[in-house]
Coordinates of all heavy atoms in Angstrom, one line a residue:
M1 N 73.9 17.3 104.3 CA 73.4 16.1 103.7 C 72.5 16.5 102.5 O 71.8 17.4 102.6 CB 72.6 15.3 104.7 CG 72.0 14.0 104.1 SD 71.4 13.0 105.4 CE 72.4 11.6 105.0
I2 N 72.6 15.8 101.4 CA 71.9 16.2 100.2 C 70.6 15.3 100.1 O 70.6 14.2 100.4 CB 72.8 15.8 98.9 CG1 74.0 16.6 98.9 CG2 71.9 16.0 97.6 CD1 75.0 16.3 97.8
N3 N 69.5 16.0 99.8 CA 68.2 15.4 99.7 C 68.1 14.8 98.3 O 68.1 15.5 97.3 CB 67.1 16.4 100.0 CG 65.7 15.8 100.0 OD1 65.6 14.6 99.9 ND2 64.8 16.7 100.3
T4 N 68.0 13.5 98.2 CA 67.9 12.8 96.9 C 66.4 12.3 96.6 O 66.3 11.5 95.8 CB 68.8 11.6 96.9 OG1 68.5 10.7 98.0 CG2 70.3 12.1 97.0
T5 N 65.5 12.8 97.3 CA 64.1 12.3 97.1 C 63.5 12.8 95.8 O 62.6 12.2 95.2 CB 63.1 12.7 98.2 OG1 63.2 14.1 98.4 CG2 63.5 12.0 99.5
F6 N 64.1 13.9 95.3 CA 63.6 14.5 94.1 C 64.3 14.0 92.8 O 63.9 14.2 91.7 CB 63.7 16.0 94.1 CG 62.9 16.6 95.1 CD1 63.5 17.3 96.2 CD2 61.5 16.6 95.0 CE1 62.8 17.8 97.2 CE2 60.8 17.3 96.0 CZ 61.4 17.8 97.1
I7 N 65.4 13.2 93.0 CA 66.1 12.6 91.9 C 65.4 11.3 91.5 O 65.2 10.4 92.3 CB 67.6 12.3 92.3 CG1 68.2 13.7 92.7 CG2 68.3 11.7 91.1 CD1 69.6 13.5 93.2
T8 N 65.1 11.2 90.2 CA 64.5 10.0 89.7 C 65.4 9.4 88.7 O 66.1 10.1 88.0 CB 63.1 10.3 89.0 OG1 63.4 11.2 87.9 CG2 62.1 10.8 90.0
P9 N 65.5 8.0 88.7 CA 66.4 7.4 87.8 C 66.0 7.5 86.3 O 64.8 7.6 86.1 CB 66.5 5.9 88.2 CG 65.1 5.8 88.9 CD 64.8 7.1 89.6
L10 N 66.9 7.6 85.4 CA 66.6 7.6 84.0 C 66.1 6.2 83.5 O 66.6 5.2 83.9 CB 67.8 8.0 83.2 CG 68.3 9.4 83.4 CD1 69.6 9.6 82.6 CD2 67.3 10.4 82.9
T11 N 65.1 6.3 82.6 CA 64.6 5.0 82.1 C 65.1 5.0 80.6 O 65.3 6.0 80.0 CB 63.1 4.9 82.2 OG1 62.5 6.1 81.5 CG2 62.6 4.9 83.6
S12 N 65.1 3.9 80.0 CA 65.5 3.8 78.7 C 64.4 4.2 77.7 O 63.2 4.0 78.0 CB 65.8 2.3 78.3 OG 64.7 1.5 78.4
M13 N 64.7 4.9 76.6 CA 63.7 5.3 75.7 C 63.3 4.2 74.7 O 64.1 3.3 74.5 CB 64.4 6.5 74.8 CG 64.7 7.7 75.7 SD 65.4 9.0 74.7 CE 64.1 9.4 73.7
P14 N 62.1 4.3 74.2 CA 61.7 3.2 73.3 C 62.4 3.3 72.0 O 62.8 4.4 71.6 CB 60.2 3.5 73.1 CG 60.0 4.9 73.4 CD 61.1 5.2 74.5
T15 N 62.6 2.2 71.3 CA 63.3 2.2 70.0 C 62.3 2.7 68.9 O 61.1 2.8 69.1 CB 63.7 0.7 69.6 OG1 62.5 0.0 69.5 CG2 64.6 0.2 70.7
L16 N 62.8 3.0 67.8 CA 62.0 3.5 66.7 C 61.0 2.4 66.2 O 59.9 2.8 65.9 CB 62.9 3.9 65.5 CG 63.8 5.2 65.7 CD1 64.7 5.4 64.5 CD2 62.9 6.4 66.0
E17 N 61.4 1.2 66.3 CA 60.5 0.1 65.9 C 59.3 0.1 66.9 O 58.1 0.0 66.4 CB 61.1 -1.3 65.9 CG 62.2 -1.4 64.8 CD 63.5 -0.8 65.1 OE1 63.8 -0.6 66.3 OE2 64.2 -0.5 64.1
Q18 N 59.5 0.3 68.2 CA 58.5 0.3 69.1 C 57.5 1.5 68.9 O 56.3 1.4 69.0 CB 59.0 0.3 70.5 CG 59.7 -1.0 70.9 CD 60.5 -0.8 72.3 OE1 60.8 0.3 72.7 NE2 60.7 -1.9 72.9
I19 N 58.1 2.6 68.6 CA 57.3 3.8 68.3 C 56.5 3.6 67.1 O 55.3 4.0 67.0 CB 58.2 5.1 68.2 CG1 58.9 5.3 69.6 CG2 57.4 6.3 67.7 CD1 59.9 6.5 69.5
G20 N 57.1 3.1 66.0 CA 56.4 2.8 64.8 C 55.2 1.9 64.9 O 54.2 2.2 64.3
T21 N 55.4 0.8 65.6 CA 54.3 -0.2 65.8 C 53.2 0.5 66.7 O 52.1 0.2 66.4 CB 54.8 -1.4 66.5 OG1 55.4 -1.1 67.8 CG2 55.7 -2.2 65.6
G22 N 53.5 1.3 67.6 CA 52.5 2.0 68.4 C 51.7 3.0 67.6 O 50.6 3.1 67.7
L23 N 52.4 3.7 66.6 CA 51.7 4.5 65.8 C 50.8 3.8 64.8 O 49.7 4.2 64.5 CB 52.7 5.4 65.0 CG 53.4 6.5 65.8 CD1 54.4 7.2 64.9 CD2 52.5 7.5 66.4
K24 N 51.2 2.7 64.2 CA 50.5 1.9 63.4 C 49.1 1.4 64.0 O 48.1 1.6 63.5 CB 51.2 0.7 62.8 CG 52.1 1.0 61.7 CD 52.8 -0.3 61.2 CE 53.8 0.0 60.1 NZ 54.4 -1.2 59.7
S25 N 49.3 0.9 65.2 CA 48.1 0.4 65.8 C 47.2 1.5 66.2 O 45.9 1.3 66.1 CB 48.4 -0.4 67.1 OG 49.1 0.5 68.1
H26 N 47.7 2.7 66.5 CA 46.8 3.9 66.8 C 46.0 4.3 65.5 O 44.9 4.6 65.6 CB 47.6 5.0 67.4 CG 46.9 6.2 67.7 ND1 46.0 6.2 68.8 CD2 46.8 7.4 67.2 CE1 45.5 7.4 68.8 NE2 45.9 8.2 67.9
T27 N 46.7 4.4 64.4 CA 46.1 4.9 63.2 C 45.1 3.9 62.7 O 44.1 4.2 62.1 CB 47.1 5.3 62.1 OG1 48.0 4.2 61.9 CG2 47.9 6.5 62.5
E28 N 45.4 2.6 62.8 CA 44.5 1.5 62.4 C 43.2 1.6 63.1 O 42.1 1.3 62.6 CB 45.2 0.2 62.5 CG 46.2 -0.1 61.5 CD 47.0 -1.3 61.7 OE1 46.7 -2.0 62.7 OE2 47.9 -1.7 60.9
K29 N 43.3 1.9 64.4 CA 42.0 2.0 65.2 C 41.2 3.2 64.8 O 40.0 3.1 64.8 CB 42.4 2.2 66.7 CG 43.0 1.0 67.3 CD 43.4 1.3 68.8 CE 44.3 0.2 69.3 NZ 44.8 0.6 70.7
D30 N 41.8 4.3 64.4 CA 41.0 5.5 64.2 C 40.6 5.7 62.7 O 39.8 6.6 62.5 CB 41.9 6.7 64.5 CG 42.2 6.9 66.0 OD1 41.5 6.3 66.7 OD2 43.2 7.6 66.3
T31 N 41.0 4.8 61.8 CA 40.6 5.0 60.4 C 39.1 4.9 60.2 O 38.6 5.7 59.5 CB 41.4 4.1 59.5 OG1 41.2 2.7 60.0 CG2 42.8 4.3 59.4
G32 N 38.4 4.0 60.8 CA 37.0 3.8 60.6 C 36.1 4.6 61.6 O 35.0 4.6 61.5
A33 N 36.8 5.3 62.5 CA 36.0 5.9 63.6 C 35.1 7.1 63.1 O 33.9 7.0 63.1 CB 36.9 6.4 64.7
M34 N 35.8 8.2 62.6 CA 35.0 9.4 62.1 C 35.8 10.0 60.9 O 37.0 10.0 60.8 CB 35.0 10.4 63.2 CG 34.1 10.1 64.4 SD 34.1 11.3 65.7 CE 33.3 12.7 64.8
S35 N 34.9 10.5 60.0 CA 35.5 11.1 58.8 C 35.8 12.5 59.2 O 35.5 13.0 60.2 CB 34.5 11.1 57.7 OG 33.4 11.9 58.0
F36 N 36.5 13.3 58.4 CA 36.9 14.7 58.6 C 35.6 15.5 58.7 O 35.5 16.4 59.5 CB 37.7 15.2 57.5 CG 38.1 16.6 57.6 CD1 39.0 17.0 58.5 CD2 37.5 17.6 56.8 CE1 39.4 18.3 58.7 CE2 37.8 18.9 56.9 CZ 38.7 19.3 57.9
A37 N 34.6 15.3 57.9 CA 33.4 16.0 57.9 C 32.7 15.8 59.2 O 32.1 16.7 59.8 CB 32.5 15.6 56.7
D38 N 32.6 14.6 59.7 CA 31.9 14.3 61.0 C 32.7 15.0 62.1 O 32.1 15.6 63.0 CB 31.9 12.8 61.3 CG 30.9 12.1 60.3 OD1 30.0 12.8 59.8 OD2 31.2 10.9 60.1
T39 N 34.0 15.0 62.1 CA 34.8 15.7 63.1 C 34.6 17.2 63.1 O 34.3 17.8 64.1 CB 36.3 15.4 62.9 OG1 36.5 14.0 62.9 CG2 37.1 16.0 64.0
L40 N 34.5 17.7 61.9 CA 34.3 19.2 61.7 C 32.9 19.6 62.2 O 32.7 20.5 62.9 CB 34.4 19.6 60.3 CG 34.4 21.0 59.9 CD1 35.5 21.8 60.6 CD2 34.4 21.2 58.4
R41 N 31.9 18.7 61.9 CA 30.5 19.0 62.4 C 30.5 19.0 63.9 O 29.8 19.8 64.5 CB 29.6 18.0 61.8 CG 29.0 18.4 60.5 CD 27.8 17.5 60.1 NE 27.8 17.4 58.6 CZ 28.4 16.3 58.0 NH1 28.9 15.3 58.6 NH2 28.3 16.3 56.6
S42 N 31.1 18.0 64.5 CA 31.0 17.9 65.9 C 31.7 19.1 66.6 O 31.3 19.6 67.6 CB 31.6 16.6 66.4 OG 33.1 16.5 66.2
K43 N 32.9 19.5 66.1 CA 33.6 20.7 66.7 C 32.8 22.0 66.5 O 32.7 22.8 67.4 CB 35.0 20.8 66.1 CG 35.9 19.6 66.3 CD 36.0 19.4 67.8 CE 36.8 18.2 68.1 NZ 36.8 17.9 69.6
I44 N 32.1 22.1 65.4 CA 31.3 23.3 65.1 C 30.1 23.2 66.1 O 29.7 24.3 66.7 CB 30.9 23.5 63.7 CG1 32.1 23.9 62.9 CG2 29.8 24.4 63.5 CD1 31.8 23.9 61.4
Q45 N 29.6 22.1 66.4 CA 28.5 22.0 67.3 C 28.9 22.3 68.7 O 28.2 22.9 69.5 CB 27.9 20.6 67.3 CG 26.6 20.3 68.1 CD 25.5 21.3 67.7 OE1 25.2 21.4 66.5 NE2 24.9 21.9 68.7
E46 N 30.1 21.9 69.1 CA 30.7 22.2 70.4 C 30.8 23.8 70.5 O 30.5 24.3 71.6 CB 32.1 21.6 70.6 CG 32.0 20.1 70.8 CD 33.4 19.5 71.0 OE1 34.3 20.2 71.3 OE2 33.5 18.3 70.7
V47 N 31.2 24.5 69.5 CA 31.3 25.9 69.5 C 29.9 26.5 69.7 O 29.7 27.4 70.5 CB 32.0 26.5 68.2 CG1 31.9 28.0 68.2 CG2 33.4 26.1 68.2
K48 N 28.9 26.0 69.0 CA 27.5 26.5 69.2 C 27.0 26.2 70.6 O 26.4 27.0 71.1 CB 26.6 25.7 68.2 CG 26.8 26.2 66.7 CD 25.8 25.4 65.8 CE 26.0 25.8 64.4 NZ 25.1 25.0 63.5
D49 N 27.4 25.1 71.1 CA 27.0 24.8 72.5 C 27.6 25.7 73.5 O 26.9 26.2 74.5 CB 27.3 23.3 72.9 CG 26.5 22.3 72.1 OD1 25.5 22.7 71.5 OD2 26.9 21.2 72.0
L50 N 28.9 26.0 73.3 CA 29.6 27.0 74.2 C 28.9 28.4 74.1 O 28.7 29.1 75.1 CB 31.0 27.1 73.8 CG 32.0 26.0 74.2 CD1 33.4 26.2 73.7 CD2 32.0 26.0 75.7
E51 N 28.5 28.8 72.8 CA 27.8 30.1 72.7 C 26.5 30.1 73.3 O 26.1 31.0 74.0 CB 27.7 30.4 71.2 CG 27.1 31.7 70.9 CD 26.9 32.0 69.4 OE1 27.0 31.1 68.6 OE2 26.7 33.2 69.1
Q52 N 25.8 29.0 73.3 CA 24.5 28.9 73.9 C 24.6 28.9 75.4 O 23.8 29.6 76.1 CB 23.7 27.6 73.4 CG 22.3 27.6 73.9 CD 21.5 28.8 73.4 OE1 21.5 29.2 72.2 NE2 20.6 29.3 74.3
A53 N 25.6 28.2 75.9 CA 25.8 28.2 77.4 C 26.2 29.6 77.9 O 25.7 30.1 78.9 CB 26.9 27.3 77.7
S54 N 26.9 30.3 77.1 CA 27.2 31.7 77.4 C 26.0 32.6 77.4 O 25.8 33.4 78.4 CB 28.3 32.3 76.4 OG 28.4 33.7 76.6
L55 N 25.1 32.5 76.4 CA 23.9 33.2 76.4 C 23.0 32.9 77.5 O 22.4 33.8 78.1 CB 23.2 33.0 75.1 CG 23.9 33.6 73.8 CD1 23.2 33.1 72.6 CD2 24.0 35.1 73.9
D56 N 22.9 31.6 77.9 CA 22.0 31.2 79.0 C 22.5 31.7 80.3 O 21.7 32.2 81.1 CB 21.9 29.6 79.0 CG 21.2 29.1 77.8 OD1 20.5 29.8 77.1 OD2 21.3 27.8 77.6
S57 N 23.8 31.7 80.5 CA 24.3 32.1 81.8 C 24.2 33.7 81.9 O 23.9 34.2 82.9 CB 25.7 31.7 82.1 OG 26.6 32.2 81.0
A58 N 24.4 34.4 80.8 CA 24.3 35.8 80.8 C 22.8 36.2 81.0 O 22.5 37.2 81.8 CB 24.7 36.4 79.5
Y59 N 21.8 35.4 80.5 CA 20.5 35.7 80.7 C 20.1 35.4 82.1 O 19.3 36.2 82.8 CB 19.6 34.8 79.7 CG 18.1 35.0 79.9 CD1 17.5 36.1 79.3 CD2 17.4 34.1 80.6 CE1 16.2 36.3 79.5 CE2 16.0 34.3 80.8 CZ 15.4 35.4 80.2 OH 14.0 35.5 80.3
A60 N 20.6 34.4 82.7 CA 20.2 34.1 84.1 C 20.8 35.2 85.0 O 20.1 35.5 86.0 CB 20.9 32.7 84.5
V61 N 21.9 35.6 84.7 CA 22.5 36.7 85.6 C 21.7 38.0 85.4 O 21.3 38.7 86.4 CB 24.0 37.0 85.3 CG1 24.4 38.3 85.9 CG2 24.8 35.8 85.7
S62 N 21.3 38.3 84.2 CA 20.6 39.6 84.0 C 19.1 39.6 84.5 O 18.6 40.5 84.9 CB 20.5 39.9 82.5 OG 19.8 38.9 81.8
M63 N 18.6 38.3 84.6 CA 17.2 38.2 85.1 C 17.2 38.0 86.7 O 16.1 37.9 87.2 CB 16.5 37.1 84.4 CG 16.3 37.3 82.9 SD 15.3 38.8 82.6 CE 13.7 38.3 83.2
G64 N 18.4 38.0 87.2 CA 18.4 37.8 88.7 C 18.2 36.3 89.1 O 18.0 36.1 90.3
Q65 N 18.3 35.4 88.3 CA 18.1 34.0 88.6 C 19.3 33.4 89.3 O 19.1 32.4 90.0 CB 17.7 33.2 87.4 CG 16.5 33.6 86.7 CD 16.2 32.9 85.4 OE1 17.1 32.3 84.8 NE2 15.0 33.1 84.8
T66 N 20.5 34.0 89.1 CA 21.7 33.5 89.7 C 22.5 34.7 90.0 O 22.4 35.8 89.4 CB 22.4 32.5 88.9 OG1 23.6 32.0 89.6 CG2 22.8 33.1 87.5
E67 N 23.5 34.6 90.9 CA 24.5 35.6 91.2 C 25.8 35.2 90.8 O 26.8 35.8 91.2 CB 24.4 36.0 92.7 CG 23.1 36.5 93.1 CD 23.1 36.9 94.6 OE1 24.1 36.8 95.3 OE2 22.0 37.3 95.1
D68 N 26.0 34.2 89.9 CA 27.3 33.7 89.5 C 27.8 34.5 88.3 O 27.8 34.0 87.2 CB 27.1 32.2 89.1 CG 28.4 31.5 88.8 OD1 29.5 32.1 89.2 OD2 28.5 30.5 88.2
I69 N 28.2 35.7 88.6 CA 28.7 36.6 87.6 C 30.0 36.1 87.0 O 30.2 36.1 85.8 CB 28.8 38.0 88.1 CG1 27.5 38.6 88.4 CG2 29.5 38.9 87.0 CD1 27.5 39.9 89.1
E70 N 30.8 35.5 87.9 CA 32.1 35.0 87.4 C 31.9 33.8 86.4 O 32.6 33.7 85.4 CB 32.9 34.5 88.6 CG 33.4 35.5 89.6 CD 32.3 35.9 90.7 OE1 31.3 35.1 90.7 OE2 32.5 36.8 91.4
G71 N 31.0 33.0 86.8 CA 30.7 31.8 85.8 C 30.2 32.3 84.5 O 30.5 31.8 83.4
A72 N 29.4 33.4 84.5 CA 28.9 34.0 83.2 C 30.0 34.5 82.4 O 30.1 34.4 81.2 CB 27.8 35.0 83.5
M73 N 30.9 35.2 83.1 CA 32.1 35.8 82.5 C 33.0 34.8 81.9 O 33.6 34.9 80.7 CB 32.9 36.7 83.4 CG 32.1 38.0 83.8 SD 31.7 39.0 82.5 CE 33.3 39.6 82.0
I74 N 33.2 33.7 82.6 CA 34.0 32.6 82.1 C 33.4 31.9 80.9 O 34.0 31.6 79.9 CB 34.3 31.5 83.2 CG1 35.2 32.1 84.3 CG2 34.9 30.2 82.7 CD1 35.3 31.3 85.5
D75 N 32.0 31.7 80.9 CA 31.3 31.1 79.8 C 31.5 32.1 78.6 O 31.6 31.6 77.5 CB 29.8 30.9 80.1 CG 29.7 29.8 81.1 OD1 30.6 28.9 81.3 OD2 28.6 29.6 81.7
A76 N 31.4 33.3 78.8 CA 31.5 34.3 77.7 C 32.9 34.3 77.1 O 33.1 34.3 75.9 CB 31.2 35.7 78.2
A77 N 33.9 34.2 78.0 CA 35.3 34.1 77.5 C 35.5 32.8 76.6 O 36.2 32.8 75.6 CB 36.3 34.2 78.6
K78 N 35.0 31.7 77.1 CA 35.2 30.5 76.5 C 34.5 30.5 75.0 O 35.1 30.1 74.1 CB 34.5 29.3 77.2 CG 35.3 28.8 78.4 CD 34.6 27.7 79.1 CE 35.2 27.2 80.3 NZ 34.4 26.1 81.0
A79 N 33.3 31.1 75.0 CA 32.6 31.2 73.7 C 33.3 32.1 72.8 O 33.5 31.8 71.6 CB 31.2 31.7 74.0
S80 N 33.9 33.2 73.3 CA 34.6 34.2 72.5 C 35.9 33.6 71.9 O 36.1 33.7 70.7 CB 34.9 35.4 73.3 OG 35.7 36.3 72.6
V81 N 36.6 32.8 72.7 CA 37.8 32.2 72.2 C 37.5 31.2 71.2 O 38.1 31.0 70.1 CB 38.7 31.7 73.4 CG1 39.8 30.8 72.9 CG2 39.2 32.8 74.2
A82 N 36.4 30.4 71.4 CA 36.1 29.3 70.5 C 35.6 29.9 69.1 O 36.0 29.4 68.1 CB 35.0 28.5 71.1
I83 N 34.9 31.0 69.2 CA 34.4 31.6 67.9 C 35.6 32.2 67.2 O 35.7 32.1 66.0 CB 33.3 32.6 68.2 CG1 32.1 31.9 68.7 CG2 33.0 33.5 67.0 CD1 31.0 32.8 69.2
E84 N 36.4 32.9 67.9 CA 37.6 33.5 67.2 C 38.5 32.4 66.5 O 39.0 32.7 65.4 CB 38.4 34.4 68.2 CG 37.8 35.7 68.6 CD 38.6 36.4 69.7 OE1 39.8 36.2 69.7 OE2 37.9 37.2 70.4
T85 N 38.7 31.4 67.3 CA 39.5 30.3 66.7 C 38.9 29.7 65.5 O 39.6 29.4 64.5 CB 39.7 29.2 67.8 OG1 40.3 29.8 69.0 CG2 40.6 28.1 67.3
T86 N 37.5 29.5 65.5 CA 36.9 29.0 64.4 C 37.0 29.9 63.1 O 37.2 29.4 62.1 CB 35.4 28.7 64.8 OG1 35.3 27.9 65.9 CG2 34.6 28.1 63.6
V87 N 36.8 31.2 63.4 CA 36.9 32.1 62.3 C 38.3 32.1 61.7 O 38.5 32.1 60.5 CB 36.5 33.5 62.8 CG1 36.9 34.6 61.8 CG2 35.1 33.6 63.1
Q88 N 39.3 32.1 62.6 CA 40.7 32.0 62.1 C 41.0 30.7 61.3 O 41.7 30.8 60.2 CB 41.7 32.2 63.3 CG 41.8 33.5 63.9 CD 42.4 34.5 62.9 OE1 43.3 34.3 62.2 NE2 41.8 35.7 63.0
L89 N 40.5 29.6 61.8 CA 40.7 28.4 61.0 C 40.0 28.4 59.7 O 40.5 27.9 58.7 CB 40.3 27.2 61.8 CG 41.2 26.8 63.0 CD1 40.5 25.8 63.9 CD2 42.5 26.4 62.6
T90 N 38.8 29.0 59.7 CA 38.1 29.1 58.5 C 38.8 30.0 57.4 O 38.9 29.6 56.2 CB 36.7 29.6 58.7 OG1 36.0 28.8 59.6 CG2 35.8 29.7 57.4
T91 N 39.3 31.1 57.9 CA 40.0 32.0 57.0 C 41.3 31.3 56.4 O 41.6 31.5 55.3 CB 40.4 33.3 57.8 OG1 39.2 33.9 58.3 CG2 41.1 34.3 56.9
R92 N 42.0 30.6 57.3 CA 43.2 30.0 56.8 C 42.9 28.8 55.9 O 43.6 28.7 54.8 CB 44.0 29.4 58.0 CG 44.7 30.5 58.8 CD 45.5 30.0 60.0 NE 45.9 31.1 60.8 CZ 47.1 31.1 61.5 NH1 47.8 30.0 61.5 NH2 47.4 32.1 62.1
A93 N 41.8 28.1 56.1 CA 41.5 27.1 55.2 C 41.1 27.6 53.8 O 41.4 27.1 52.8 CB 40.3 26.2 55.7
V94 N 40.3 28.7 53.8 CA 39.9 29.4 52.5 C 41.1 29.9 51.8 O 41.2 29.7 50.6 CB 38.8 30.4 52.8 CG1 38.6 31.3 51.6 CG2 37.5 29.9 53.3
N95 N 42.0 30.5 52.5 CA 43.2 31.0 51.9 C 44.1 29.9 51.3 O 44.6 30.0 50.2 CB 44.0 31.8 52.9 CG 43.4 33.2 53.2 OD1 42.6 33.7 52.4 ND2 43.8 33.8 54.3
A96 N 44.2 28.8 52.0 CA 45.0 27.7 51.5 C 44.3 27.1 50.2 O 45.0 26.8 49.2 CB 45.1 26.6 52.6
Y97 N 43.0 27.0 50.3 CA 42.2 26.5 49.1 C 42.5 27.4 47.9 O 42.7 27.0 46.8 CB 40.7 26.5 49.4 CG 39.9 26.1 48.2 CD1 39.9 24.7 47.8 CD2 39.1 27.0 47.6 CE1 39.1 24.3 46.7 CE2 38.4 26.6 46.5 CZ 38.4 25.3 46.0 OH 37.6 24.9 45.0
K98 N 42.4 28.8 48.1 CA 42.6 29.7 47.0 C 44.1 29.6 46.5 O 44.2 29.6 45.3 CB 42.4 31.2 47.5 CG 41.0 31.5 47.7 CD 40.8 32.9 48.2 CE 39.3 33.3 48.4 NZ 39.2 34.6 49.0
E99 N 45.0 29.3 47.3 CA 46.4 29.2 46.9 C 46.6 28.0 46.1 O 47.3 28.0 45.1 CB 47.3 29.2 48.1 CG 48.7 29.4 47.8 CD 49.5 29.6 49.1 OE1 49.1 30.4 50.0 OE2 50.6 28.9 49.2
I100 N 45.9 26.9 46.5 CA 46.0 25.6 45.7 C 45.3 25.7 44.4 O 45.9 25.3 43.4 CB 45.4 24.5 46.5 CG1 46.3 24.1 47.8 CG2 45.2 23.2 45.7 CD1 45.6 23.2 48.7
I101 N 44.2 26.4 44.3 CA 43.5 26.6 43.1 C 44.3 27.4 42.1 O 44.3 27.2 40.9 CB 42.2 27.3 43.3 CG1 41.2 26.4 44.0 CG2 41.5 27.8 42.0 CD1 40.9 25.1 43.3
Q102 N 45.1 28.4 42.5 CA 45.9 29.3 41.7 C 47.2 28.7 41.2 O 47.9 29.2 40.4 CB 46.2 30.6 42.4 CG 44.9 31.5 42.6 CD 45.2 32.7 43.4 OE1 46.3 33.0 43.8 NE2 44.1 33.5 43.5
M103 N 47.5 27.5 41.7 CA 48.8 26.9 41.3 C 48.7 26.5 39.9 O 47.7 26.0 39.4 CB 49.1 25.6 42.2 CG 49.5 25.9 43.6 SD 49.9 24.4 44.4 CE 50.4 24.9 45.9
Q104 N 49.9 26.6 39.2 CA 50.0 26.2 37.8 C 50.3 24.7 37.8 O 51.2 24.2 38.5 CB 51.1 26.9 37.1 CG 50.8 28.4 37.0 CD 49.7 28.7 36.1 OE1 49.5 28.0 35.1 NE2 49.0 29.8 36.3
I105 N 49.7 23.9 36.8 CA 49.9 22.5 36.8 C 50.8 22.3 35.5 O 50.7 22.8 34.5 CB 48.6 21.7 36.6 CG1 47.8 21.9 37.9 CG2 48.9 20.2 36.4 CD1 46.5 21.2 37.9

């Protein structure tokens, strides 16, 4: 006997018009929410917060206030990845800006 509990019926896909109206309403909601500069500031602040959390947890482990070495290592890895990503994005943005400036009009 075949087990059919894992088989799910196919549902119809939305039409292009339905997708388009969904996108319009989504973008109309977000236009007044935050500017690019505000978004950039908030993301950079999140990176700073991750770095501070990493430093705090490393300090707590080194001073013997906690024995959560795994948590400190996870915090350090999160901060490291966030900083590396920020540096890469900054480098790419600067390179794109330089390339645009050098274009002939």
Side-chain angles (χ1 to χ4, degrees):
M1 179 168 237
I2 298 174
N3 186 359
T4 59
T5 57
F6 296 111
I7 299 173
T8 57
L10 294 175
T11 58
S12 64
M13 294 179 65
T15 64
L16 290 176
E17 290 81 22
Q18 291 171 338
I19 293 172
T21 57
L23 290 175
K24 278 185 184 176
S25 63
H26 180 68
T27 53
E28 287 172 0
K29 291 177 191 173
D30 291 343
T31 52
M34 288 180 67
S35 69
F36 178 76
D38 292 336
T39 304
L40 187 62
R41 270 191 214 98
S42 70
K43 295 303 175 186
I44 289 175
Q45 185 59 45
E46 287 178 23
V47 171
K48 288 180 181 179
D49 293 342
L50 283 172
E51 184 181 15
Q52 188 60 44
S54 170
L55 292 173
D56 292 343
S57 61
Y59 180 78
V61 169
S62 65
M63 295 303 290
Q65 297 171 349
T66 184
E67 295 180 7
D68 186 19
I69 296 173
E70 294 87 4
M73 293 298 293
I74 290 171
D75 288 344
K78 284 181 185 178
S80 174
V81 169
I83 291 169
E84 287 177 25
T85 303
T86 304
V87 168
Q88 287 294 321
L89 289 173
T90 303
T91 303
R92 289 180 185 209
V94 168
N95 288 340
Y97 176 76
K98 287 179 181 178
E99 196 172 312
I100 290 170
I101 292 300
Q102 292 177 356
M103 286 182 176
Q104 296 290 328
I105 298 177

